[in-house]
Amino acid sequence: MKSTKSLFSNGSAVTIKETGETVTILKSQYVKNMKRYSYIVKEHPGTFFFEEELTSDE
């Protein structure tokens, strides 16, 4: 069984791969039927991103 641990935690600085913009994770949620996490970022609260669309700044 695949682990359901989020790659990013709330408050983490991450980069949106497509734009290169650095953003801050506001909220994460596991989408059970899609078996992956979605994230809402502080800079774009009306949009959500999946883990594969983000990369860690660390």
Side-chain angles (χ1 to χ4, degrees), residues 1 11 13 17-21 25-26 32 36 41 50 54:
M1 184 173 170
K17 287 181 181 179
E18 189 172 308
T19 65
E21 179 183 4
I25 300 292
L26 191 61
K32 188 174 181 177
R36 59 184 175 171
V41 297
F50 290 114
L54 305 171

Side-chain angles (χ1 to χ4, degrees), residues 36-48:
R36 59 184 175 171
Y37 277 88
S38 68
Y39 297 88
I40 296 174
V41 297
K42 182 178 178 181
E43 293 76 5
H44 303 286
T47 305
F48 68 89

